[in-house]
Each structure stands twice: as C-alpha cells, then as structure tokens.
Amino acid sequence: MRNFAKLTAILALTGLAACEGSDLERGALGGVGGYAVDRALGGDGTIGAAAGIAAGVTCDNVARNVCR
C-alpha cells in the first residue's frame, strides 16, 4: 500500500508539471517533486527523483492532450 501511495503522489506531482514548456523544465519539476515525495515517505529520494524526472520528460509524449 505504501508503494501505491508513493507512486500516486509522484504521478500527481508530475501531472502538475506537465504544463511546463520544455522537456528540461518538466524533468526538473518532476525530479524535485519526486524527490520531495520520496523523502516525505521515508525513502532516500533517489528513486523518487529518478521516477519524477523520467515521468516529467516523457509525459508530453505519452499524454499529448493533458494541457489544452
């Protein structure tokens, strides 16, 4: 259950970052958000940051209609 909550929080924060202009901006915001969520849930932050960066960079390619 804890992993599900962590994943949901990371995806939610990355979704908020999806409306930024470039892949670099989305990746940076996703990384910061993922790190913060991972640390808040007791992790060391690296997995959350990596997941946030990956999701932030690829979210515009996966869900093109998110920010209209």
Side-chain angles (χ1 to χ4, degrees):
M1 186 65 170
R2 181 174 179 218
N3 289 336
F4 177 74
K6 188 183 296 188
L7 179 62
T8 302
I10 290 170
L11 290 176
L13 288 173
T14 304
L16 292 175
C19 293
E20 291 301 316
S22 69
D23 286 343
L24 180 62
E25 292 170 339
R26 284 188 302 276
L29 287 172
V32 169
Y35 176 83
V37 169
D38 195 12
R39 292 293 296 167
L41 294 174
D44 66 357
T46 56
I47 293 174
I53 290 168
V57 170
T58 60
C59 70
D60 68 325
N61 300 328
V62 175
R64 295 186 185 266
N65 297 325
V66 171
C67 297
R68 286 196 176 208

